Amino acid sequence: MNVRPSPRLEVNTAEMAITAAVQGHGLTRVLSYMVAPELAAGRLKIVLAEYEPASVPIHLVHREGRRASVRVRAFVELAAQRLRADGSIN
């Protein structure tokens, strides 16, 4: 059976969709890392988990060596650290 809900609230950013869901305005569909803090804190919960698509791996691609920007290297290191901490990458 297919169900086509008619939304009562439409937003143009994932952050606003998450905020609306946390405030009790309904359901939202966003990427798992975006709601990890809310899930961990119990502010949101997953519904219809059996219909979740398979996880997609994350790749951090950047230029290495002397030509790499210091800012890019810093970002990649931070992103890799945070993604490893939450189990998104090895």
Side-chain angles (χ1 to χ4, degrees):
M1 172 186 354
N2 289 331
V3 176
R4 292 197 97 57
S6 54
R8 293 185 299 169
L9 174 67
E10 293 185 25
V11 296
N12 59 3
T13 67
E15 291 81 12
M16 288 303 301
I18 294 166
T19 299
V22 168
Q23 292 177 355
H25 296 290
L27 305 175
T28 189
R29 183 174 181 217
V30 295
L31 300 174
S32 60
Y33 75 89
M34 300 171 115
V35 290
E38 285 77 15
L39 291 170
R43 290 186 292 267
L44 290 178
K45 64 181 181 176
I46 296 175
V47 296
L48 301 174
E50 63 272 14
Y51 295 99
E52 280 192 41
S55 297
V56 177
I58 296 172
H59 300 277
L60 298 172
V61 180
H62 62 96
R63 181 182 293 185
E64 289 193 48
R66 297 169 115 177
R67 302 184 84 177
S69 160
V70 173
R71 289 181 183 172
V72 170
R73 283 195 318 254
F75 169 77
V76 168
E77 289 173 14
L78 176 65
Q81 178 185 23
R82 288 187 179 177
L83 291 168
R84 280 189 187 104
D86 76 6
S88 296
I89 64 173
N90 297 325

